[in-house]
Every structure is written in structure tokens, then in C-alpha cells.
Amino acid sequence: MREVLNAEWLKAWSGRTWWIMAALAVFMGLLGSSGAAAVADQQMDSGATDAAAATAELIRSWFSVLLASVLFGALFVSREYNTGAINRSVLLCGSRTRLLAAKTIVGTAMGLIFALLAAGLAPLSLWGFFTLFGMDVQWSGEATLTLLGVFTVAALAAPWGVLLGWIIRNQAASVTLVLVVTLFVDETLFRVLPAVGKFTMGIAMGAVYRDAKPEMLSIPLALLVIAGWLALAGYSARRLLATRDIT
């Protein structure tokens, strides 16, 4: 298994996918944090918020890194289907299950790297943009919990993407489905039917990074929901991989 993990780790760093997703993560994080700082500047002038709440909100804006993380995971698997390399990977690995496990483990490790990127850059952007707008940073327990939540969802998004990649197989379809579900379906379902929508993957992740929407799940329950979605995706990916042709 060690050789398989080493091979998949090398694949994760080969090509342009990892640095394009890392650049996307940084761009979206900076875009979100600059917008959060601009809004906080206006709200603090009008008395609608305070320094502690504005600090936590800017940290929260880095949740967008999860999108780059889940896209990396989906592409990590589906690009091998598109190039036809998946056949050789299974033959060299010796078992479809071993390959699925190895890609999931390596995908999770890459998710941790994306999470560390978010956890490191979020405080730096906080001090940078607050200084630019002439605001004072007030770090609180809420800011710490929010940063932990951002780290957690960015890390868990990668194995979620890996498992979706095994299920969907096609590169373009994987990217399209991830974007549509993450950006539109989960949010729309939550707005229309919050009692149902709060159990979707995207909204459950929102509860973990302490999104301020009403009717959100508690963090422990949200983590259980995320674990349930990962388990369901893992079961579906394993079953489809074992019963369908690899083409």
C-alpha cells in the first residue's frame, strides 16, 4: 500500500491542477476578505457592527477555499478517466479498492494543505485589509472558532471531491456538478425548504464555519451530517467502481 500511496502522492503534484487550484483558493480568499473588510468599514461607521464581529466575518470569508479543495479532489480522479490512465492505475495497483482508498487518503492530505493555506492567509489578510481601511483588529473566541471551522471544511472538501470524481468519472461533468451544487442547489434548497436544505453538504459545512444564517444545524450535528454524506459517497463510489467497467 505504501508504494500505491507514494505513486498517488506524486500524481497529486504532477501537472498544473494543484497550483491552479491553489491560485484559485488564494484569489477567492483575498477577494472575499477584501469585500468583507469594505463592508465592515461601512457598517462600523454606521454602528451596525463592532470590531470583534467584523474580525470574525473577515476570517469567515476564507471558507471559499473549500471550493478549490473540492474541485481538486474531483479532478484528481476524473482526469485519469479522461486520459484513459485509470486502466493502468488499477492494473499497477492490483485492486480497485486499494486505488480508491489510496486516492481518498492522498486527496484528504491535499485537502489539509488547502486548509493550512486558508488558516495561514486568513489572519494575514485580516491585518492587511483592516490596516488598509484604518480599522482595529479585535480577535475573539468567535474568530478562533470560525478559523477552526474554515480549516475543517477546507480539509473535508477534498475527499468529498475525490468520491464525487469516482462516481461521476467525467472531468467536465464533475466540475460542472460541483459548481452547480455548491453554489446554487444547496443554497436554493435551504432558502426554499430550510428544514431539508440544512442537511445538504454545503449548508452543513456553513454551520461548521459558523455562518450566521438562521435555522442552521449545531456544529456537532453538522459534522455528523458531513460524515454521513462522505460515508454515502464512499459506499456509492466503491460499489460503482466494483461493478462497472473501467473505461
Side-chain angles (χ1 to χ4, degrees):
M1 189 65 177
R2 178 183 297 178
E3 291 79 8
V4 179
L5 289 172
N6 289 338
E8 293 303 321
W9 183 249
L10 290 175
K11 288 180 187 176
W13 292 98
S14 64
R16 295 174 291 183
T17 303
W18 72 268
W19 66 260
I20 290 176
M21 290 302 115
L24 175 66
V26 174
F27 172 76
M28 294 183 68
L30 290 175
L31 185 66
S33 56
S34 63
V39 171
D41 183 45
Q42 296 176 355
Q43 291 182 337
M44 290 181 71
D45 287 342
S46 63
T49 190
D50 56 28
T55 297
E57 187 61 31
L58 191 142
I59 295 296
R60 186 175 297 109
S61 68
W62 279 83
F63 79 89
S64 56
V65 172
L66 76 86
L67 185 60
S69 185
V70 69
L71 284 174
F72 174 85
L75 291 172
F76 184 44
V77 174
S78 60
R79 68 180 179 181
E80 290 204 32
Y81 278 101
N82 273 48
T83 60
I86 193 69
N87 292 322
R88 294 190 296 274
S89 295
V90 171
L91 289 173
L92 292 172
C93 183
S95 164
R96 299 183 184 194
T97 301
R98 289 181 70 192
L99 184 61
L100 186 148
K103 281 194 177 294
T104 305
I105 292 171
V106 171
T108 303
M110 292 298 292
L112 287 171
I113 293 174
F114 281 104
L116 289 172
L117 187 68
L121 291 180
L124 291 177
S125 71
L126 168 65
W127 269 277
F129 286 119
F130 268 41
T131 301
L132 183 64
F133 283 93
M135 296 184 291
D136 294 325
V137 174
Q138 187 174 339
W139 196 273
S140 63
E142 176 67 16
T144 300
L145 292 175
T146 302
L147 186 60
L148 287 173
V150 169
F151 178 90
T152 302
V153 297
L156 294 177
W160 174 240
V162 168
L163 296 172
L164 290 178
W166 281 114
I167 295 170
I168 302 168
R169 297 187 171 198
N170 181 273
Q171 196 169 24
S174 298
V175 172
T176 301
L177 184 67
V178 165
L179 291 175
V180 170
V181 171
T182 304
L183 299 178
F184 300 106
V185 175
D186 289 0
E187 190 70 30
T188 301
L189 183 59
F190 181 69
R191 289 178 184 275
V192 176
L193 292 171
V196 177
K198 64 184 178 182
F199 291 100
T200 61
M201 187 63 149
I203 301 302
M205 285 185 168
V208 174
Y209 60 77
R210 304 176 71 80
D211 196 341
K213 292 185 180 69
E215 301 186 57
M216 300 285 276
L217 298 172
S218 65
I219 291 178
L221 184 54
L223 289 172
L224 284 176
V225 169
I226 292 170
W229 278 111
L230 288 173
L232 178 62
Y235 172 79
S236 300
R238 169 70 182 85
R239 183 168 180 78
L240 290 173
L241 184 61
T243 57
R244 293 172 62 186
D245 290 336
I246 300 175
T247 55

